[in-house]
Amino acid sequence: MRLKFSALAALAAASLLSACATTGQGAPAEAAPLFDTARLHEHIRILSDDSFEGRGIATPAEDKVVRYLSEQYAAAGFQPGGENGGWTQAVTLNRFTVSNPTATLSIGDWSQAVRPGQDMVFSTRLPGAAVDLRDAPLVFVGYGIKAPERNWDDFKGQDMRGKVLVVLVNDADFEEPSLNTFNGRAMTYYGRWTYKYEEAARQGAAGVIIVHETGPASYGWATVNNSWSGPQFDIVRQNPSAERIPMESWIQRELAVELFRRAGQDFEALKVQARSRDFQPVTLADARISARYDVTSEQIVTHNVIARLAGSTHPDETILYTGHWDHIGVGEPDANGDAIFNGAVDNASGTAALLELARAWGRGPRPERSIVMISFTAEESGLLGSEFYAANPIYPLETTVAGFNLDAMNVYGRVENLQVVGWGQSDLDERLAAAAERQGRTAVPEGNPAAGSYFRSDHFPLAKRGAPMAYADGGGAFRDEPRAEREAMAADYGARRYHQADDEWSPDWDLMGMVEDMDVVLSVGRDLANSRDWPQWKTGSEFGPVRTASDARRR
């Protein structure tokens, strides 16, 4: 999921009651649903309670989540929308658990044993009993990108087989936006860590070491350690060795700088060189890594939870509302001894929003088109639940009208803007902007496009297959006092709670901003559900050609 900076706050007592969704000039819309903030609080509290053990996938906690969501969707008036008339879609994954990792970096007579979790983290998504690299040579390949359509190739045809690639996170434009090779500061998929590993597999590399830097990664080392030290998951692949590498790893920047220095290289100078199309791979002279760790591989089955409200006139046309139910589960205890990653904001909040949106749809007039709610699994493992659904859709993507993704909601108060992630991709932008304007808010592009948020949540696997998907939430200045306190709490979430055990529910949260964002996607969804409109990708979007290929399926 993406890192949230949009809001935090204490809640005034009056705001804890309920809010009426509005759609025009601040006045209640006809038959407008009542989004009850007390009920939203209760959903979040329950789903992030310690008894749900961090909502780890394929654990006993998953059964509790599926049961709770199914019961709540049924109470909202929805029908089972999954496989074989049930509430779920089974998602088969490979789970990889690394144990006993040891590693040593060496250059000539110098060597340093790596402290797993402190200096580096190691993982794999390649089936096997162990990873055992011995004196594998290290090659710096800049950003590790091969993008022919942008005339960019960091490998220059050199043989990378059996080598471990040292790469920078993000892409060249993060450091020098004026290059505009990769859309300036708005990260492309080439900047994502997932891409780095995928491209290395295509190059035949033995492993990748991503140099962690907080700015271009958009998160700190604690997030890396928490996310990659536990089990890793992947969909089942026919030829995994062609798509996965033995060693996926990250390294702390300080150790990387020292490694480069001992190899006779200046890390910062090479970073500058890596921004050029003319960059050539740099073999770190005599630098090698030996790494070994045991790997337990097993197939597990986890589940997307799917609920459907059939349309009255065009039931075969679908509007999606999506959000992931999973979180990290149970990990290493923090300084307070807490090992449960409760995931209250990420993403019990979005899950609660789906449940209450379902309640609003269920109470209103039956829409002409079908409404489908999908609570995805395995988002924290790399968007795997949504990837699986997008590859195996229960409701055809060609006749999916549009979708709205809800991830890490604004639980801290009303804000001035509606941030649209991936602004400029589709004409859903204008529809969202109109709904926000009726609330007295302004729709704006996301505040930190360099974080690559468009590629980091569950809408992306659907979007890249052509289904127009919107991802928007609150941003900008807070509209209510105490503003300074709200701003401080927002910063605290990004610094100390995101992917930490401290992401816990608070009764003091002000959910009025969350309600406004829910009202926007309800309003836009309602307009689409009772129309013959088909939202379009804008000229230049990389997802437009996929949609165009299926134009004949849409009437």
Side-chain angles (χ1 to χ4, degrees), residues 40 67 309 322 515:
L40 286 167
R67 182 166 58 253
L309 183 68
T322 67
V515 163

Side-chain angles (χ1 to χ4, degrees), residues 79-207:
Q79 299 297 314
E83 299 168 319
N84 304 315
W87 288 103
T88 62
Q89 178 188 37
V91 178
T92 302
L93 302 176
N94 282 324
R95 175 167 59 193
F96 307 97
T97 303
V98 167
S99 59
N100 306 314
T102 60
T104 302
L105 295 168
S106 63
I107 300 176
D109 295 334
W110 173 84
S111 67
Q112 178 168 326
V114 170
R115 299 170 297 174
Q118 298 181 59
D119 299 321
M120 294 181 67
V121 293
F122 301 91
S123 62
T124 191
R125 289 174 290 167
L126 186 64
V131 170
D132 190 2
L133 301 181
R134 301 185 183 184
D135 291 326
L138 301 180
V139 182
F140 176 64
V141 292
Y143 289 94
I145 295 172
K146 185 174 183 179
E149 77 283 4
R150 297 173 188 264
N151 192 27
W152 192 280
D153 182 1
D154 282 329
F155 303 97
K156 301 298 189 295
Q158 295 187 25
D159 186 1
M160 298 296 160
R161 288 176 296 179
K163 299 174 181 178
V164 172
L165 312 183
V166 183
V167 304
L168 302 170
V169 72
N170 214 307
D171 56 45
D173 289 7
F174 178 86
E175 302 289 350
E176 195 172 343
S178 61
L179 293 172
N180 201 32
T181 308
F182 296 94
N183 299 349
R185 269 291 182 98
M187 186 198 286
T188 66
Y189 188 56
Y190 294 114
R192 290 286 290 133
W193 61 266
T194 50
Y195 169 79
K196 314 287 185 180
Y197 294 149
E198 291 165 1
E199 184 58 45
R202 287 188 283 270
Q203 297 290 328

Side-chain angles (χ1 to χ4, degrees), residues 1-5 169-170 174 187 192 212-221 223-224 250 448-453 456 494-495 498:
M1 62 83 60
R2 70 189 181 95
L3 187 58
K4 282 284 295 181
F5 294 102
V169 72
N170 214 307
F174 178 86
M187 186 198 286
R192 290 286 290 133
H212 173 262
E213 296 184 277
T214 297
S218 81
Y219 40 75
W221 180 257
T223 297
V224 174
W250 291 69
N448 184 24
S453 300
R456 294 172 60 179
Y498 171 65

Side-chain angles (χ1 to χ4, degrees), residues 223-468:
T223 297
V224 174
N225 187 36
N226 289 334
S227 299
W228 276 270
S229 294
Q232 302 299 302
F233 298 85
D234 197 12
I235 61 174
V236 176
R237 299 176 184 273
Q238 289 187 345
N239 185 14
S241 61
E243 301 179 65
R244 292 293 181 240
I245 52 177
M247 187 182 82
E248 300 177 348
S249 68
W250 291 69
I251 189 172
Q252 288 263 39
R253 182 186 186 280
E254 291 78 7
L255 181 54
V257 170
E258 174 68 7
L259 177 68
F260 277 58
R261 185 186 70 78
R262 289 184 175 275
Q265 300 290 341
D266 184 313
F267 177 75
E268 289 298 330
L270 286 182
K271 278 185 66 176
V272 174
Q273 293 179 31
R275 301 173 202 167
S276 168
R277 284 188 171 91
D278 297 329
F279 169 81
Q280 295 283 337
V282 177
T283 298
L284 299 180
D286 204 26
R288 298 180 180 275
I289 185 170
S290 295
R292 191 192 186 287
Y293 40 91
D294 297 323
V295 181
T296 301
S297 303
E298 57 184 329
Q299 282 197 358
I300 59 99
V301 177
T302 182
H303 298 85
N304 294 326
V305 181
I306 306 177
R308 181 173 184 258
L309 183 68
S312 61
T313 309
H314 303 285
D316 295 335
E317 298 173 1
T318 302
I319 294 170
L320 296 179
Y321 289 87
T322 67
H324 71 96
W325 62 257
D326 69 299
H327 198 54
I328 295 172
V330 180
E332 292 298 318
D334 63 10
N336 298 319
D338 189 354
I340 297 176
F341 290 72
N342 304 81
V345 173
D346 180 17
N347 184 35
S349 65
T351 303
L354 288 182
L355 296 176
E356 289 307 295
L357 282 162
R359 188 181 295 270
W361 279 106
R363 283 204 310 268
R366 182 62 62 97
E368 296 177 10
R369 287 165 155 168
S370 294
I371 308 301
V372 171
M373 303 279 171
I374 309 181
S375 296
F376 284 123
T377 186
E379 189 269 359
E380 300 290 6
S381 302
L383 315 183
L384 297 182
S386 55
E387 178 69 27
F388 187 91
Y389 179 87
N392 305 276
I394 291 178
Y395 305 100
L397 299 187
E398 295 85 355
T399 50
T400 294
V401 178
F404 305 91
N405 189 53
L406 304 168
D407 193 347
M409 303 290 287
N410 169 18
V411 298
Y412 316 108
R414 302 186 308 149
V415 288
E416 292 182 348
N417 300 329
L418 180 77
Q419 288 191 133
V420 180
V421 179
W423 179 275
Q425 287 283 359
S426 79
D427 63 26
L428 289 171
D429 295 347
E430 286 70 32
R431 297 171 189 267
L432 294 167
E437 185 178 359
R438 291 195 290 268
Q439 298 175 332
R441 296 200 291 165
T442 302
V444 297
E446 62 190 294
N448 184 24
S453 300
Y454 197 73
F455 314 103
R456 294 172 60 179
S457 198
D458 283 318
H459 62 285
F460 179 59
L462 296 153
K464 71 181 181 181
R465 289 172 173 83

Side-chain angles (χ1 to χ4, degrees), residues 505-527:
W505 169 78
S506 170
D508 294 331
W509 283 344
D510 179 350
L511 304 188
M512 296 305 296
M514 178 174 173
V515 163
E516 287 192 329
D517 294 342
M518 291 167 62
D519 180 42
V520 166
V521 296
L522 176 65
S523 175
V524 177
R526 181 185 288 140
D527 289 344

